[in-house]
Amino acid sequence: MRGDPGNFEVLTPTSLPEALRLMSEAALDQDSPLLKPLAGGTDLMVLMEMGALQCERFLSLHAIDELRSFRPEEDSVAIGAAMTFSRIRTEAILREEFPLLCEAAGQVGALAIQNRGTLGGNIANASPAADSAPALLAYDAELEIVSQSGTRRIPYSAFHTGYKEMQLRPDELIRSILLPRKWKGCHQSFRKVGARAAQAISKVSFAGVLRISDGLIQEARIAMGSVAPTPLRCVHTERALQGKKLDFSAIGRAKEALFKEISPVDDIRSNREYRLRVSLNLIEDFLLSARK
Amino acid sequence: MSAPKKISLHCTVNGEPRELNAYPMARLLDVLREDLRLTGTKEGCGEGECGACAVILNGELVNSCLVPAIQVQGAEILTIEGAANHPIAAQVQEAFLRHGGVQCGICSPGVILAAANLLSHDKAPSEADIRESLAGNLCRCTGYSKIVDSVAYAASDLKGTRS
């Protein structure tokens, strides 16, 4: 049954402190329904139309300028949680230093979705297929999370705790996504495998970063989407590569580690067998391309 | 909890200031079609996959089925009804007529606005640019060739009129 837009209340704070006050009041008041943050609507409006929304009240973030800011600092860049994928993929510093995130942003839906969808929304929607997630994991992203009681930082790799579960209290908002500026010059690659290039939700996605010097892998980051209940940083695969020469035995050990650490399932978009095989092909491709 | 109320909404649609009352979570698509009777904007999938409902909101292409009314307060919106008065969109429409870019027509409003949006930012797009810009607009009739050709012709027509 179609959802009725008349069932939903929307609050529209114009500043972050006002937003956090409203979130805190809603979280404390037992009788009041929780407030769900609403950014570009590209996920929530679909659920509303399907009549599948679990909440009654939204906090629209569109009038809070601070959440759309991009702040490059010396050691890291801070991407405002409500920055759209269109802006991310065209931001010069991100294109130069974080190409995997820009490539992922360019493969979210198509242009009309990229103009509305936000990085924070992609994270808080908490899908294991989220397009931005592998790149964020591979770049050691941290989340800056705010509430009326203060600010905390959490590594993105610790944020998702289970299928659609995350470390975010009802009174908290993601303010920004922080990326350390240490990946320039690394070998890196992003791949999204879906039914077609545009609009498809991924069957499998992959991000890899290797820092190679003196013929040895000094640092490895491997992350994947749609192969586990959450976006997955593949730490065992990374360990199999760390400090090694990038030869065929290292590639073999990395594939073995990846095989053991991912747990893809059958669903409407793909099946376990296909996802396993493609995942192994993706890591092999990536490592072989780094040898060239 | 108080029952949700309609909000008073002010926006500019196809150059005309409009005022209406709508629920904050009403889809822009329904506001355009039901409240403003601008039925040129079509509903296809209703979930942001097909692009039939695409409009230009504050200079950016969006799927109007995914935009809540509350977020268009004060906005400028261009729909297919405004295309004839828009220098670039009008050229795109002309090119679609001349080069067979329209068959059944359901996707055309969204496709034409997506193409106009492209040509507003890029005066000389490659075929790959055209295909990427239209990747979010599904057409089940044309096989896309005539659409892509029409957009390429529109780009060269626009270049001609400018030089």
Side-chain angles (χ1 to χ4, degrees), chain A residues 2 5-6 8-10 12 39 45-46 48-49 58 60 62 89 110-113 115-116 196 198-199, chain B residues 1 4 23-27 46-49 60-63 66-68 70-71 117 132 135-136 138:
Chain A
R2 287 179 65 167
F8 305 96
E9 190 186 359
V10 184
T12 53
M45 292 297 286
V46 176
M48 184 191 75
E49 177 61 15
F58 290 99
S60 179
H62 74 283
R89 65 182 289 204
L111 182 64
I113 300 289
N115 284 338
R116 298 281 305 166
R196 73 191 272 269
Q199 297 292 43
Chain B
M1 183 187 121
Y23 286 117
M25 284 295 276
R27 305 180 304 168
E47 49 187 68
E49 299 279 346
E60 292 189 317
L61 189 75
V62 303
N63 293 320
L66 299 183
V67 178
I70 187 112
Q71 295 188 351
N117 177 64
E132 186 187 344
L138 300 185

Side-chain angles (χ1 to χ4, degrees), chain A residues 14-269:
Chain A
T14 52
S15 73
L16 191 57
E18 187 191 354
L20 296 176
R21 180 177 56 77
L22 294 167
M23 296 284 284
S24 163
E25 284 170 8
L28 288 172
D29 182 355
Q30 303 273 327
D31 301 324
S32 139
L34 289 176
L35 269 178
K36 182 143 182 111
L38 168 70
T42 54
D43 286 306
L44 293 175
M45 292 297 286
V46 176
L47 293 178
M48 184 191 75
E49 177 61 15
M50 288 164 60
L53 269 180
Q54 300 296 321
C55 57
E56 299 161 32
R57 291 173 83 206
F58 290 99
L59 181 94
S60 179
L61 305 175
H62 74 283
I64 307 176
D65 292 339
E66 186 188 336
L67 291 176
R68 285 194 296 271
S69 70
F70 175 70
R71 298 190 314 275
E73 317 245 321
E74 200 178 323
D75 299 329
S76 66
V77 298
I79 301 169
M83 204 164 149
T84 62
F85 289 111
S86 292
R87 280 190 56 214
I88 287 171
R89 65 182 289 204
T90 52
E91 179 63 56
I93 292 175
L94 295 176
R95 288 174 71 89
E96 191 181 342
E97 298 181 39
F98 304 97
L100 307 187
L101 181 62
C102 296
E103 281 174 47
Q107 293 187 38
V108 174
L111 182 64
I113 300 289
Q114 292 160 21
N115 284 338
R116 298 281 305 166
T118 66
L119 187 56
N122 202 218
I123 291 169
N125 186 53
S127 164
D131 287 319
S132 65
L136 295 178
L137 289 169
Y139 287 139
D140 287 353
E142 284 191 301
L143 303 184
E144 187 182 46
I145 293 173
V146 286
S147 69
Q148 248 195 337
S149 49
T151 301
R152 66 186 176 97
R153 278 193 186 195
I154 175 173
Y156 179 53
S157 57
F159 181 71
H160 298 294
T161 52
Y163 181 72
K164 291 261 175 187
E165 287 171 10
M166 58 196 140
Q167 300 260 24
L168 191 66
R169 296 195 314 260
D171 65 330
E172 288 181 319
L173 283 175
I174 302 171
R175 174 156 73 187
S176 49
I177 296 90
L178 306 156
L179 300 175
R181 302 178 75 168
K182 59 176 186 182
W183 306 107
K184 227 173 139 178
C186 290
H187 179 77
Q188 37 190 306
S189 164
F190 171 76
R191 299 282 294 274
K192 172 175 170 175
V193 178
R196 73 191 272 269
Q199 297 292 43
I201 297 173
S202 75
K203 297 172 194 271
V204 179
S205 59
F206 174 94
V209 178
L210 293 181
R211 187 190 308 284
I212 302 174
S213 69
D214 303 327
L216 297 178
I217 299 166
Q218 309 294 338
E219 241 180 322
R221 293 288 184 278
I222 306 292
M224 297 199 65
S226 303
V227 296
T230 67
L232 185 70
R233 181 164 160 199
C234 306
V235 287
H236 296 286
T237 311
E238 292 174 4
R239 236 172 268 151
L241 292 164
Q242 218 100 29
K244 301 287 185 329
K245 191 166 166 257
L246 189 50
D247 54 18
F248 287 102
S249 92
I251 293 175
R253 279 194 301 274
K255 286 172 73 177
E256 253 169 64
L258 189 74
F259 181 81
K260 284 185 197 149
E261 111 179 281
I262 60 178
S263 50
V265 294
D266 297 347
D267 65 15
I268 54 165
R269 280 185 291 282

Side-chain angles (χ1 to χ4, degrees), chain A residues 193 204 224 227 255 258-259 262 264 270-285:
Chain A
V193 178
V204 179
M224 297 199 65
V227 296
K255 286 172 73 177
L258 189 74
F259 181 81
I262 60 178
S270 186
N271 62 50
R272 175 183 160 78
E273 275 309 305
Y274 178 83
R275 286 180 159 125
L276 267 178
R277 182 176 294 204
V278 170
S279 300
L280 296 177
N281 289 347
L282 289 173
I283 184 101
E284 184 171 317
D285 257 18

